[in-house]
Amino acid sequence: MADMKKKTYTMTVFGCQMNERDAETLRGFLDEIGYEEVDEVEGADLVIMNTCAVRQKAEEKVFGRIGRLGVLKKENPEMMIAVCGCMVQQEDVAKKIKKSYPFVDLIFGTHNIAAFPELLQRAAESKETVLDLWDEAGDVVEGLPVTRKDGVKAWVNITYGCNNFCSYCIVPYVRGRERSRKPEEIINEIKALAKQGFKEVTLLGQNVNSYGKDLEEEMDFADLLVRVDRETDINRIRFMTSHPRDFTEKLAKVMGECDSVCEHVHLPIQAGSNRILKLMNRGYTKEHYLDLVDILRKYAPDCALSTDIIVGFPGETEEDFLDTLDVVDRVGYDMAFTFLYSPRSGTPAADMPHQVANEVKKERFQRLLEVQNKHSLRHNQEAVGKTVEVLVEGPSKTDPGVMTGRTRSSKTVNFTGENVNAGDLVMVEITQARTWSLLGRKSVENRNTNDSSVSGD
Ligand code: SAH
Ligand code: SF4
Ligand code: F3S
């Protein structure tokens, strides 16, 4: 009789939500072929790394891990190793891995995920590394399998690729040109998710605000949000990332009007100096950005704002950096993701003069963090005493007696209370603020909604 034991795999995902979403498709394929996911690398039949190329650190982590896997593979030669994603979509990197780590079985890029089962089969039959990269993305492929682990929140692609070519960024080179999914496909996916019990979707694109520009029908991102709000039963809609260049007043209006659209926008500024913004090819000025924030707050006054900031872009002077701090103070972000500029080979910024010394980058980074932390804490303190809706994710990782979830404004809340389960939308009274999170307790206001042990009116 054939051995009925399922084959096992383990997967590590680096980088952004796009990669997380692609990993869900890979999991879907592996489910179909009959693999089971395990946590431990030891003993796994297949190890997959879905890689990121956005900063050098991300790439170094992958090289380190591949090296360690080589040691394991000596003990267990049957173990297959696959490397995919943005990093290996760079042909030179893929070739380097093939040459320096010949024990890797399979290397494939971001454009040929749909061919994964075939590639895996080929790699199993081949003694040499199977390397398969496509130069360009084909049309959007619908109907690929997907396995989502979490039954509460789901990522939903709305566009793939990027046309913006910010001068520091590798993404357009490894993800191809921008392609929008058809609205019907998106709506049907979200309808199905709501039916399965999901409460929240995050619409994903490198620049969601340019959604629809390549579609035949007249449709922009604001129209899409209205349709998802009206036509599906999903409780919460989020989206990322919103590029300031294409952010419209119409979108701000829609955010204020659509009940299921959450009160949070991630609007990366990257830098506060107009000179640096121009060198970055971002397509807006500091003043334009600040106007957008005003417009947003006019239509959606409760909207939380977060951002991405790069410190130490080539040529950044102390004065330029002060412009960044100025924007951070003027906007008063709820949260900021801050990065040291990392030169990416093949991007224009990597060859720009006046690269900033590491010590200078780090010193500015620290100052930026201090300024931002004050704003984060202030926003969180303002929430104390309020009662807010929290979508429960489950018990806290550090304290199983405490539940964790997020507010509509995307703040993490750790709270206590009876009869709370993952996927519940509960009202929580905020009792304490930290810089990165809120503490609270389940409110008595839940009487008529979630707590079935108390009878309603
Ligand atoms: N499409 C999104 C960003 C995707 S990459 C947008 O335009 O906002 C996520 C973040 O990584 C960027 O916002 C930027 O802040 C940062 N990043 C990208 N390339 C980088 C580089 N070469 N060095 C440092 N940070 C970088
Ligand atoms: Fe990169 Fe700019 Fe595209 Fe964002 S918009 S992915 S930063 S090129
Ligand atoms: Fe994302 Fe990294 Fe690729 S940020 S798109 S996984 S380069």
Side-chain angles (χ1 to χ4, degrees):
M1 279 240 342
D3 183 0
M4 296 302 284
K5 188 177 166 296
K6 271 191 164 183
K7 285 198 166 190
T8 58
Y9 75 96
T10 174
M11 176 151 51
T12 320
V13 187
F14 300 85
C16 68
Q17 292 78 9
M18 302 286 163
N19 260 18
E20 292 289 349
R21 179 59 191 79
D22 285 349
E24 292 174 342
T25 295
L26 297 174
R27 286 194 187 100
F29 276 126
L30 289 164
D31 270 356
E32 283 185 353
I33 317 172
Y35 274 79
E36 185 181 6
E37 186 164 12
V38 291
D39 292 333
E40 292 294 318
V41 178
E42 280 84 6
D45 297 299
L46 169 66
V47 181
I48 308 178
M49 274 161 281
N50 194 13
T51 63
C52 169
V54 83
R55 283 171 292 275
Q56 197 183 338
K57 268 227 176 86
E59 294 200 347
E60 282 165 4
K61 277 193 211 157
V62 173
F63 282 120
R65 194 173 154 84
I66 299 177
R68 290 195 298 280
L69 285 173
V71 179
L72 275 180
K73 185 143 180 171
K74 282 214 178 93
E75 292 162 19
N76 176 13
E78 295 299 304
M79 177 176 83
M80 285 184 69
I81 301 174
V83 188
C84 61
C86 295
M87 180 175 158
V88 288
Q89 182 63 42
Q90 305 168 97
E91 205 178 342
D92 52 332
V93 178
K95 284 188 174 152
K96 179 177 161 190
I97 293 177
K98 183 172 167 156
K99 188 154 173 269
S100 313
Y101 307 93
F103 55 83
V104 170
D105 298 278
L106 171 62
I107 302 172
F108 62 102
T110 55
H111 300 321
N112 50 348
I113 284 194
F116 175 55
E118 274 164 64
L119 292 170
L120 192 63
Q121 184 64 34
R122 258 172 61 197
E125 289 160 6
S126 161
K127 283 213 161 31
E128 285 183 16
T129 308
V130 170
L131 193 162
D132 197 63
L133 295 183
W134 295 2
D135 288 348
E136 277 173 53
D139 292 336
V140 172
V141 186
E142 293 292 350
L144 297 181
V146 51
T147 299
R148 291 177 164 105
K149 285 202 218 166
D150 160 344
V152 179
K153 303 192 296 182
W155 309 114
V156 175
N157 292 119
I158 66 164
T159 64
Y160 299 93
C162 183
N163 288 352
N164 288 288
F165 288 94
C166 302
S167 63
Y168 50 82
C169 186
I170 196 76
V171 172
Y173 305 89
V174 294
R175 287 278 173 175
R177 295 295 62 73
E178 190 174 281
R179 292 140 281 148
S180 302
R181 280 180 81 192
K182 293 206 170 72
E184 289 70 33
E185 299 285 353
I186 298 167
I187 307 253
N188 288 340
E189 182 173 354
I190 298 173
K191 277 186 182 164
L193 286 166
K195 231 185 197 160
Q196 288 167 45
F198 281 84
K199 297 284 164 50
E200 179 179 305
V201 292
T202 303
L203 309 179
L204 291 182
Q206 294 298 349
N207 174 5
V208 291
N209 299 338
S210 65
Y211 173 80
K213 287 187 179 163
D214 56 330
L215 290 174
E216 271 168 33
E217 58 200 290
E218 273 291 310
M219 169 128 196
D220 65 14
F221 179 58
D223 299 328
L224 178 70
L225 272 187
V226 171
R227 282 195 61 183
V228 177
D229 180 62
R230 282 201 195 134
E231 296 174 33
T232 78
D233 292 327
I234 203 81
N235 300 68
R236 288 180 169 194
I237 306 167
R238 301 188 186 282
F239 51 87
M240 72 185 313
T241 296
S242 217
H243 194 306
R245 180 185 349 225
D246 302 299
F247 193 98
T248 58
E249 181 160 7
K250 179 176 167 190
L251 175 59
K253 251 187 210 162
V254 161
M255 290 205 60
E257 286 166 8
C258 292
D259 288 341
S260 49
V261 176
C262 287
E263 291 77 23
H264 172 225
V265 179
H266 184 62
L267 195 67
I269 175 107
Q270 311 296 2
S273 144
N274 287 339
R275 196 177 67 81
I276 297 293
L277 285 170
K278 192 150 194 220
L279 285 172
M280 285 179 161
N281 190 30
R282 288 290 289 182
Y284 53 85
T285 59
K286 173 183 175 183
E287 292 73 25
H288 178 69
Y289 184 95
L290 291 170
D291 283 348
L292 288 179
V293 172
D294 285 344
I295 290 170
L296 182 65
R297 287 187 169 151
K298 178 173 130 199
Y299 291 103
D302 298 332
C303 195
L305 261 170
S306 59
T307 200
D308 288 350
I309 297 171
I310 298 176
V311 171
F313 184 84
E316 184 188 76
T317 62
E318 173 66 17
E319 205 185 343
D320 293 322
F321 175 65
L322 290 177
D323 272 328
T324 298
L325 290 186
D326 183 51
V327 173
V328 170
D329 271 332
R330 286 213 213 174
V331 176
Y333 293 105
D334 293 75
M335 217 193 312
F337 299 89
T338 49
F339 308 101
L340 297 174
Y341 168 69
S342 170
R344 306 283 65 214
S345 117
T347 63
D351 297 323
M352 284 181 188
H354 313 298
Q355 298 281 327
V356 176
N358 243 333
E359 308 80 76
V360 177
K361 281 186 201 167
K362 284 188 183 153
E363 187 259 348
R364 287 180 189 162
F365 186 86
Q366 212 47 47
R367 280 157 67 200
L368 172 61
L369 220 58
E370 274 162 33
V371 173
Q372 176 51 41
N373 284 352
K374 272 193 289 190
H375 289 289
S376 300
L377 183 62
R378 175 176 60 79
H379 281 290
N380 284 347
Q381 281 165 343
E382 281 165 8
V384 175
K386 292 189 178 148
T387 298
V388 294
E389 183 198 89
V390 171
L391 175 57
V392 183
E393 287 166 18
S396 149
K397 285 198 184 94
T398 47
D399 180 357
V402 170
M403 297 302 278
T404 189
R406 270 176 201 263
T407 65
R408 287 175 58 100
S409 59
S410 211
K411 295 191 188 342
T412 300
V413 184
N414 294 310
F415 68 101
T416 53
E418 302 286 300
N419 298 328
V420 182
N421 295 301
D424 288 351
L425 286 160
V426 289
M427 297 308 289
V428 173
E429 189 191 335
I430 304 302
T431 53
Q432 223 181 308
R434 300 211 169 130
T435 306
W436 304 113
S437 63
L438 297 167
L439 303 183
R441 61 176 165 255
K442 186 179 165 189
S443 159
V444 287
E445 278 183 36
N446 291 293
R447 196 167 63 225
N448 298 329
T449 50
N450 280 72
D451 198 342
S452 52
S453 61
V454 181
S455 59
D457 297 336

